[in-house]
Coordinates of all heavy atoms in Angstrom, one line a residue:
L175 N 98.0 33.5 200.6 CA 96.7 33.8 200.1 C 96.3 35.3 200.2 O 95.3 35.7 199.6 CB 95.7 32.9 200.9 CG 95.8 31.4 200.8 CD1 94.7 30.7 201.6 CD2 95.6 31.0 199.3
T176 N 97.0 36.0 201.0 CA 96.7 37.5 201.1 C 97.3 38.3 199.9 O 96.9 39.5 199.8 CB 97.3 38.0 202.4 OG1 98.7 37.9 202.4 CG2 96.7 37.3 203.6
S177 N 98.1 37.7 199.1 CA 98.6 38.4 197.9 C 97.5 38.7 196.9 O 96.5 38.0 196.8 CB 99.7 37.6 197.2 OG 99.1 36.4 196.6
R178 N 97.7 39.8 196.2 CA 96.6 40.2 195.2 C 96.5 39.2 194.1 O 95.4 39.0 193.6 CB 97.0 41.6 194.7 CG 97.0 42.7 195.7 CD 97.4 44.0 195.1 NE 97.4 45.1 196.1 CZ 97.7 46.4 195.9 NH1 98.1 46.7 194.7 NH2 97.7 47.3 196.8
E179 N 97.6 38.6 193.7 CA 97.6 37.6 192.6 C 96.7 36.4 193.0 O 95.9 35.9 192.2 CB 99.0 37.2 192.3 CG 99.9 38.2 191.7 CD 100.6 39.0 192.8 OE1 100.3 38.9 193.9 OE2 101.5 39.8 192.4
A180 N 96.9 35.9 194.2 CA 96.2 34.7 194.7 C 94.7 35.0 194.8 O 93.8 34.2 194.4 CB 96.7 34.2 196.0
R181 N 94.4 36.2 195.3 CA 92.9 36.6 195.5 C 92.3 36.8 194.1 O 91.1 36.4 193.9 CB 92.8 37.8 196.3 CG 93.2 37.5 197.8 CD 92.9 38.7 198.7 NE 94.0 39.7 198.6 CZ 93.9 41.0 198.4 NH1 92.7 41.5 198.2 NH2 94.9 41.8 198.3
A182 N 93.0 37.4 193.2 CA 92.4 37.6 191.8 C 92.2 36.3 191.1 O 91.2 36.1 190.4 CB 93.4 38.5 191.0
L183 N 93.1 35.3 191.3 CA 92.9 34.1 190.6 C 91.8 33.2 191.2 O 91.0 32.6 190.5 CB 94.2 33.3 190.6 CG 94.3 32.1 189.6 CD1 94.2 32.6 188.2 CD2 95.6 31.3 189.8
L184 N 91.7 33.2 192.5 CA 90.7 32.5 193.2 C 89.3 33.0 192.9 O 88.3 32.3 192.8 CB 90.9 32.5 194.7 CG 89.9 31.7 195.6 CD1 90.0 30.2 195.2 CD2 90.2 31.9 197.1
R185 N 89.2 34.3 192.6 CA 87.9 34.9 192.2 C 87.4 34.4 190.9 O 86.2 34.2 190.8 CB 88.1 36.4 192.2 CG 86.8 37.2 192.2 CD 87.1 38.7 192.3 NE 87.8 39.1 193.6 CZ 89.0 39.5 193.7 NH1 89.8 39.7 192.6 NH2 89.5 39.8 194.9
I186 N 88.2 34.0 190.0 CA 87.8 33.5 188.7 C 87.8 32.0 188.6 O 87.2 31.4 187.7 CB 88.6 34.1 187.5 CG1 90.1 33.6 187.6 CG2 88.5 35.6 187.5 CD1 90.9 34.0 186.4
A187 N 88.4 31.4 189.6 CA 88.5 29.9 189.6 C 88.4 29.4 191.0 O 89.3 29.0 191.7 CB 89.8 29.4 189.0
P188 N 87.1 29.4 191.6 CA 87.0 29.0 193.0 C 87.0 27.5 193.3 O 86.9 27.1 194.4 CB 85.6 29.6 193.3 CG 84.9 29.6 192.0 CD 85.9 29.8 191.0
D189 N 87.0 26.7 192.2 CA 87.1 25.2 192.5 C 88.0 24.6 191.4 O 88.3 25.2 190.4 CB 85.7 24.7 192.4 CG 85.0 24.9 191.0 OD1 85.4 24.4 190.0 OD2 84.0 25.8 191.0
P190 N 88.4 23.3 191.7 CA 89.4 22.7 190.8 C 88.9 22.5 189.3 O 89.7 22.6 188.4 CB 89.6 21.3 191.4 CG 89.3 21.5 192.9 CD 88.2 22.5 192.9
T191 N 87.6 22.3 189.2 CA 87.0 22.1 187.8 C 87.2 23.4 187.0 O 87.6 23.4 185.8 CB 85.6 21.7 187.9 OG1 85.4 20.5 188.6 CG2 85.0 21.5 186.5
A192 N 86.8 24.5 187.6 CA 87.0 25.8 186.9 C 88.5 26.1 186.7 O 88.8 26.7 185.7 CB 86.3 26.9 187.7
A193 N 89.3 25.7 187.6 CA 90.8 26.0 187.5 C 91.4 25.2 186.3 O 92.2 25.7 185.6 CB 91.5 25.7 188.8
A194 N 90.9 24.0 186.1 CA 91.4 23.2 185.0 C 91.1 23.7 183.7 O 91.8 23.4 182.7 CB 90.9 21.7 185.2
R195 N 90.0 24.5 183.6 CA 89.6 25.1 182.3 C 90.3 26.4 182.0 O 90.1 27.0 180.9 CB 88.1 25.2 182.3 CG 87.3 23.9 182.3 CD 85.9 24.1 181.9 NE 85.2 25.0 182.8 CZ 84.4 24.6 183.8 NH1 84.2 23.3 184.0 NH2 83.8 25.5 184.6
L196 N 91.0 26.9 182.9 CA 91.6 28.3 182.7 C 92.7 28.2 181.6 O 93.6 27.3 181.7 CB 92.2 28.8 184.0 CG 91.3 29.3 185.1 CD1 92.1 29.8 186.3 CD2 90.5 30.5 184.5
S197 N 92.7 29.1 180.7 CA 93.8 29.2 179.7 C 94.8 30.2 180.2 O 94.6 31.0 181.2 CB 93.2 29.7 178.4 OG 92.6 31.0 178.6
R198 N 96.0 30.2 179.6 CA 97.0 31.1 180.0 C 96.6 32.5 179.8 O 96.9 33.4 180.7 CB 98.3 30.8 179.2 CG 99.2 29.7 179.8 CD 100.5 29.7 179.2 NE 101.2 31.0 179.4 CZ 102.1 31.5 178.6 NH1 102.4 30.9 177.5 NH2 102.7 32.7 178.9
P199 N 96.0 32.9 178.7 CA 95.5 34.4 178.6 C 94.6 34.8 179.8 O 94.7 35.9 180.2 CB 94.8 34.4 177.3 CG 95.5 33.3 176.5 CD 95.7 32.2 177.4
Q200 N 93.8 33.9 180.2 CA 92.9 34.2 181.4 C 93.7 34.4 182.6 O 93.4 35.3 183.4 CB 91.8 33.1 181.6 CG 90.8 33.1 180.5 CD 89.8 31.9 180.7 OE1 90.3 30.8 180.9 NE2 88.5 32.2 180.6
I201 N 94.7 33.6 182.8 CA 95.5 33.7 184.0 C 96.4 35.0 184.0 O 96.5 35.7 185.0 CB 96.4 32.5 184.2 CG1 95.6 31.2 184.4 CG2 97.4 32.6 185.3 CD1 96.4 29.9 184.4
V202 N 96.9 35.3 182.8 CA 97.7 36.5 182.6 C 96.8 37.7 182.9 O 97.2 38.7 183.5 CB 98.3 36.5 181.2 CG1 98.9 37.9 180.9 CG2 99.4 35.5 181.1
A203 N 95.6 37.7 182.4 CA 94.7 38.8 182.6 C 94.4 39.0 184.0 O 94.3 40.2 184.6 CB 93.4 38.6 181.8
A204 N 94.1 37.9 184.8 CA 93.9 38.0 186.2 C 95.1 38.6 187.0 O 94.9 39.4 187.9 CB 93.5 36.7 186.7
L205 N 96.3 38.1 186.6 CA 97.5 38.6 187.2 C 97.7 40.1 187.0 O 98.1 40.9 187.9 CB 98.7 37.8 186.8 CG 98.7 36.4 187.2 CD1 99.9 35.7 186.6 CD2 98.8 36.2 188.7
R206 N 97.4 40.6 185.8 CA 97.6 42.0 185.5 C 96.5 42.8 186.2 O 96.8 44.0 186.6 CB 97.5 42.2 184.0 CG 98.7 41.6 183.2 CD 98.8 42.1 181.8 NE 99.9 41.4 181.1 CZ 101.2 41.8 181.2 NH1 101.5 42.8 182.0 NH2 102.1 41.2 180.5
R207 N 95.3 42.3 186.3 CA 94.3 43.0 187.0 C 94.6 43.2 188.5 O 94.2 44.2 189.2 CB 92.9 42.3 187.0 CG 92.2 42.5 185.6 CD 90.7 42.1 185.8 NE 90.6 40.7 186.2 CZ 90.5 39.7 185.4 NH1 90.6 39.9 184.0 NH2 90.4 38.4 185.8
S208 N 95.4 42.3 189.0 CA 95.8 42.3 190.4 C 96.9 43.4 190.6 O 97.3 43.7 191.8 CB 96.3 41.0 190.9 OG 97.5 40.6 190.3
G209 N 97.5 43.8 189.5 CA 98.6 44.8 189.7 C 100.0 44.2 189.3 O 101.0 44.9 189.4
R210 N 100.0 42.9 189.0 CA 101.3 42.3 188.6 C 101.8 42.8 187.3 O 101.1 42.9 186.3 CB 101.1 40.8 188.5 CG 102.4 40.0 188.3 CD 103.1 39.7 189.5 NE 104.4 39.0 189.3 CZ 105.0 38.3 190.2 NH1 104.5 38.3 191.5 NH2 106.1 37.6 190.0
R211 N 103.1 43.2 187.2 CA 103.7 43.8 186.0 C 104.9 43.0 185.6 O 105.3 43.0 184.4 CB 104.0 45.2 186.2 CG 102.8 46.1 186.4 CD 102.0 46.2 185.2 NE 100.8 47.0 185.3 CZ 99.6 46.5 185.7 NH1 99.5 45.2 185.9 NH2 98.6 47.3 185.8
R212 N 105.6 42.3 186.5 CA 106.9 41.7 186.1 C 106.7 40.2 186.2 O 106.0 39.6 187.0 CB 108.0 42.1 187.1 CG 108.2 43.6 187.2 CD 109.3 44.0 188.2 NE 110.5 43.3 187.9 CZ 111.6 43.4 188.7 NH1 111.6 44.1 189.8 NH2 112.7 42.8 188.4
C213 N 107.4 39.5 185.2 CA 107.4 38.0 185.2 C 106.0 37.4 185.1 O 105.8 36.3 185.7 CB 108.2 37.4 186.3 SG 109.9 38.1 186.5
V214 N 105.1 38.1 184.4 CA 103.7 37.6 184.4 C 103.6 36.3 183.6 O 102.9 35.4 184.0 CB 102.8 38.7 183.8 CG1 101.4 38.1 183.6 CG2 102.8 39.9 184.6
D215 N 104.3 36.2 182.4 CA 104.3 35.0 181.6 C 104.8 33.8 182.3 O 104.2 32.7 182.3 CB 105.0 35.3 180.3 CG 104.3 36.3 179.4 OD1 103.1 36.5 179.6 OD2 105.0 37.0 178.6
D216 N 106.0 34.0 182.9 CA 106.6 32.8 183.7 C 105.7 32.4 184.8 O 105.5 31.2 185.0 CB 108.0 33.2 184.2 CG 108.9 33.5 183.1 OD1 108.7 33.0 181.9 OD2 109.9 34.2 183.3
L217 N 105.1 33.3 185.5 CA 104.3 33.0 186.7 C 103.0 32.3 186.2 O 102.5 31.4 186.8 CB 103.9 34.2 187.5 CG 103.1 34.0 188.7 CD1 103.7 33.0 189.7 CD2 102.8 35.3 189.4
S218 N 102.4 32.8 185.1 CA 101.2 32.1 184.5 C 101.4 30.7 184.1 O 100.6 29.8 184.3 CB 100.7 32.9 183.4 OG 101.6 32.9 182.3
I219 N 102.6 30.4 183.6 CA 102.9 29.0 183.2 C 103.0 28.1 184.5 O 102.4 27.0 184.5 CB 104.3 29.0 182.4 CG1 104.1 29.7 181.1 CG2 104.7 27.5 182.2 CD1 105.4 29.8 180.3
Q220 N 103.7 28.6 185.5 CA 103.8 27.9 186.7 C 102.4 27.6 187.4 O 102.1 26.5 187.8 CB 104.7 28.6 187.7 CG 106.1 28.8 187.2 CD 106.9 29.6 188.2 OE1 106.5 29.9 189.3 NE2 108.2 30.0 187.8
I221 N 101.6 28.6 187.4 CA 100.2 28.5 188.0 C 99.4 27.5 187.2 O 98.7 26.7 187.8 CB 99.6 29.9 188.1 CG1 100.3 30.8 189.1 CG2 98.1 29.7 188.4 CD1 99.8 32.2 189.2

Side-chain angles (χ1 to χ4, degrees):
L175 296 179
T176 61
S177 65
R178 296 178 180 177
E179 295 88 348
R181 290 183 281 130
L183 194 64
L184 184 60
R185 197 172 295 113
I186 64 174
D189 57 71
T191 302
R195 294 196 298 261
L196 283 180
S197 63
R198 274 196 58 209
Q200 290 176 312
I201 297 176
V202 170
L205 293 176
R206 293 193 183 279
R207 283 197 301 270
S208 68
R210 183 83 179 201
R211 293 294 178 266
R212 301 178 60 184
C213 304
V214 175
D215 294 333
D216 295 339
L217 181 59
S218 64
I219 295 174
Q220 297 175 9
I221 291 175

